[in-house]
Amino acid sequence: MDYLIGVDVGTTSTKAVLYSQNAQVIKQFSQGYSLYRNASGMAEQDPGAMVEAVEKVIHDAGQEIDFNTGKLLAVSFSSANQSLILLDKKFRPQTRVITWADTRARQAADRLKRSELGKQMYANTGTPIHPMSPLTKLLWLKETAPEKLAQAAYIADIKSYLFYCFFKTFKVDISIASCTGMMNINTGDWDSQALEITGIKKQQLPEIVNGTTQAIGLTDEACEKMGIPQDTPFVYGAFDGALSNLGVGAIKQDTVAITIGTSAGVRVVTDHPVIDPQERLFCYAVDNGLWVVGGPLNNGGDVYQWAVEHLVTPSAVKNEGTDPFTLANEVIAGEPAGANGLIFLPFLGGERAPLWDANARGSFFGLNNLHTRADMLRAVMEGINMNIATVFSAVCDLVGQPTSVTATGGFARSEVWRQMLADVLNCPVNIPESFESGCLGAVTMAMKSLGMVGSLTAVEDLIGKEMSYKPQPDAVATYQKFLPLFQQVEGLLTPAYSTIAKLQQEK
């Protein structure tokens, strides 16, 4: 048997999945690392820890391979997008990895967003003006740490840094480049206007390559740590959202992919760029002739985790002899749709789509003295799903109503959450058997790179069984009453977000 490894470099951990040559899962591996946060909006990672995590999961996967009878055909990568690392002349990190979740560039982003230049930059790059993007992070560094930025010889993201560590080549795949706010979606090259306003030279940035591009010739050090053959091809792949679409077969315009992990995303693949006149959605390149349109949401499973930690008591968990999340799901399943008239806006971490407001904050609306913890738990899950439904509606406005929705992520392990998503969207939701769609998407790109398949559509033959959830009419009727109110309250509170965020930062 021959093998493939799909690697997904995430915000708090790196996963690897070992596949057979037919893309059947053999074993999964994971290695965590810290996300450093503080009240200023900082959200950073240690690049050294991330390199070690990638090396470890590849090593662990390689230990399962008998190289006497089989071959490791390729290792292919999915990674979180919109990261930024400043490097010196020897490609040594001068900063930690500044992640998509870092909001310290919010003032620079606000100024750019309000200007005509900001509208033009969005149209040129397909990247909404927001603190998440490396474009606004570079503007922030230019204002707040000009000496540090001036001393940087190279500007990297986590994937181009990893590949440099392993191969001493400085390249990045087109999908990661497209997410930076620095690449022109019409030319496929670094945008001259983005370079001008940030003061960055083109030669400081990695060379943009297709996702199927291979790197071969591991350094001796990387080869030793990974324990795999030195000539193993490493395929650049794409960013995690695009590969999640690919990994669930959602690569046609009639299928929307939704991912709910720590954060969330709603995406559809098209054969041409689509720019939203209201600037609600992104448009990123995936591969030659493929684009992904959609919206990323800051608030997904992390908000639910917050709610479970604060609303499920240890004594109740002990009495029921279960874990907090299982108990919370059981409680939610026993509550009526609409949480007895309680609405939750889930903006605990600011918000990207649909608000693009790093100052957004969470709130309960309609709370009265009859509401219980159970109502609050239900409202939290509903609020996350209604926020997703708002972005889903924007996607439908631009590309048309889909015939199906495919959803993946950690939420998919919860029966009540699966059904609720179908009810809130009023659309059938399919859940693939394999939750690690990003790794499967990465491996599909490797198979195309190796000539094992002729097109990325071959992934449709690799996906396992799916579970389907149809909307329940009674619940749909309830949510169709509450969703407009959710959006109305969201609009009413938006003007107050900057004030409360400022007061919180003064503490």
Side-chain angles (χ1 to χ4, degrees):
M1 184 190 297
D2 291 334
Y3 303 85
L4 297 152
I5 296 175
V7 178
D8 182 14
V9 184
T11 305
T12 56
S13 68
T14 287
K15 304 181 185 74
V17 180
L18 178 65
Y19 293 90
S20 71
Q21 63 200 39
N22 299 319
Q24 298 301 304
V25 174
I26 296 173
K27 197 168 182 179
Q28 303 184 28
F29 309 87
S30 181
Q31 180 67 29
Y33 32 76
S34 298
L35 178 65
Y36 300 95
R37 310 192 79 145
N38 66 20
S40 72
M42 179 188 78
E44 296 182 343
Q45 301 157 317
D46 178 354
M50 298 181 77
V51 171
E52 290 175 1
V54 172
E55 290 172 336
K56 185 176 189 308
V57 294
I58 293 174
H59 172 273
D60 291 350
Q63 291 294 104
E64 301 294 320
I65 299 173
D66 183 352
F67 288 103
N68 294 316
T69 59
K71 181 180 180 181
L72 177 56
L73 299 175
V75 179
S76 189
F77 282 78
S78 163
S79 70
N81 59 5
Q82 293 161 335
S83 58
L84 180 71
I85 320 169
L86 303 186
L87 305 175
D88 67 12
K89 292 180 179 179
K90 294 185 178 180
F91 290 89
R92 294 174 300 199
Q94 301 304 292
T95 62
R96 290 193 294 206
V97 182
I98 306 174
T99 71
W100 62 268
D102 195 298
T103 61
R104 289 174 291 177
R106 54 188 171 270
Q107 291 183 354
D110 286 345
R111 284 194 295 273
L112 182 59
K113 187 174 182 178
R114 290 195 299 267
S115 69
E116 283 301 314
L117 176 60
K119 297 182 186 301
Q120 188 176 344
M121 293 301 301
Y122 170 71
N124 289 344
T125 68
T127 303
I129 306 301
H130 183 269
M132 67 179 182
S133 75
L135 170 68
T136 60
K137 289 179 171 69
L138 288 168
L139 291 175
W140 165 67
L141 288 170
K142 186 179 179 182
E143 294 173 3
T144 61
E147 305 87 359
K148 181 178 288 187
L149 187 60
Q151 291 169 2
Y154 300 100
I155 312 296
D157 63 280
I158 187 57
K159 191 188 287 185
S160 61
Y161 177 67
L162 286 167
F163 270 74
Y164 182 82
C165 291
F166 300 154
F167 297 97
K168 303 305 177 188
T169 57
F170 194 42
K171 299 178 182 180
V172 66
D173 64 81
I174 190 170
S175 83
I176 289 288
S178 186
C179 301
T180 62
M182 299 284 290
M183 192 195 90
N184 190 297
I185 59 172
N186 300 305
T187 66
D189 200 358
W190 299 116
D191 183 73
S192 58
Q193 202 161 30
L195 295 174
E196 181 181 347
I197 65 173
T198 57
I200 301 300
K201 297 180 176 63
K202 183 177 177 179
Q203 54 266 35
Q204 290 179 273
L205 297 169
E207 176 189 350
I208 300 173
V209 299
N210 290 331
T212 52
T213 300
Q214 299 177 14
I216 300 176
L218 285 166
T219 66
D220 292 342
E221 182 181 3
C223 184
E224 181 180 352
K225 289 183 176 179
M226 295 182 196
I228 60 175
Q230 200 156 20
D231 62 351
T232 302
F234 276 47
V235 178
Y236 277 83
F239 77 91
D240 51 6
L243 289 178
S244 288
N245 269 59
L246 177 59
V248 297
I251 55 175
K252 296 177 182 176
Q253 198 163 310
D254 63 354
T255 304
V256 171
I258 295 177
T259 306
I260 310 175
T262 302
S263 55
V266 181
R267 301 171 302 274
V268 64
V269 171
T270 69
D271 59 4
H272 62 283
V274 178
I275 295 296
D276 180 12
Q278 298 182 50
E279 300 183 29
R280 296 166 297 178
L281 306 175
F282 61 66
C283 177
Y284 300 144
V286 179
D287 198 19
N288 288 335
L290 289 180
W291 306 83
V292 61
V293 177
L297 300 94
N298 285 8
N299 301 285
D302 59 341
V303 177
Y304 185 55
Q305 181 176 350
W306 167 85
V308 172
E309 288 175 353
H310 289 84
L311 296 173
V312 178
T313 63
S315 59
V317 173
K318 184 177 180 180
N319 290 340
E320 295 295 326
T322 185
D323 66 272
F325 290 94
T326 299
L327 180 56
N329 291 341
E330 291 173 355
V331 168
I332 290 169
E335 288 289 298
N340 291 310
L342 184 61
I343 288 175
F344 179 70
L345 302 182
F347 309 130
L348 301 192
E351 191 50 284
R352 290 179 289 173
L355 301 179
W356 300 106
D357 187 349
N359 293 317
R361 295 294 184 265
S363 55
F364 284 101
F365 175 77
L367 190 66
N368 63 40
N369 57 11
L370 297 179
H371 283 121
T372 65
R373 293 188 191 203
D375 295 320
M376 296 173 80
L377 279 170
R378 175 99 194 182
V380 167
M381 188 180 284
E382 290 180 341
I384 296 168
N385 282 314
M386 284 194 275
N387 196 35
I388 288 168
T390 302
V391 180
F392 176 78
S393 177
V395 170
C396 294
D397 288 346
L398 282 189
V399 301
Q401 192 71 25
T403 58
S404 65
V405 170
T406 301
T408 60
F411 94 102
R413 295 176 174 84
S414 165
E415 186 82 17
V416 64
W417 204 330
R418 298 172 188 171
Q419 185 60 56
M420 185 187 293
L421 183 62
D423 296 338
V424 172
L425 297 181
N426 190 22
C427 185
V429 171
N430 300 316
I431 309 291
E433 191 175 44
S434 174
F435 298 144
E436 298 300 344
S437 55
C439 289
L440 179 58
V443 160
T444 305
M445 291 200 83
M447 295 174 79
K448 182 183 176 185
S449 176
L450 295 168
M452 298 170 66
V453 298
S455 166
L456 294 178
T457 57
V459 73
E460 295 172 353
D461 299 325
L462 306 176
I463 299 168
K465 298 177 182 177
E466 291 185 330
M467 296 166 282
S468 186
Y469 291 79
K470 295 181 179 180
Q472 298 174 329
D474 290 347
V476 169
T478 298
Y479 292 131
Q480 288 185 339
K481 294 176 185 176
F482 276 90
L483 186 55
L485 182 58
F486 173 93
Q487 293 166 339
Q488 181 184 1
V489 175
E490 174 190 283
L492 290 170
L493 290 179
T494 293
Y497 285 145
S498 60
T499 303
I500 189 64
K502 184 177 180 181
L503 289 172
Q504 290 173 348
Q505 289 156 18
E506 289 175 355
K507 293 182 67 176

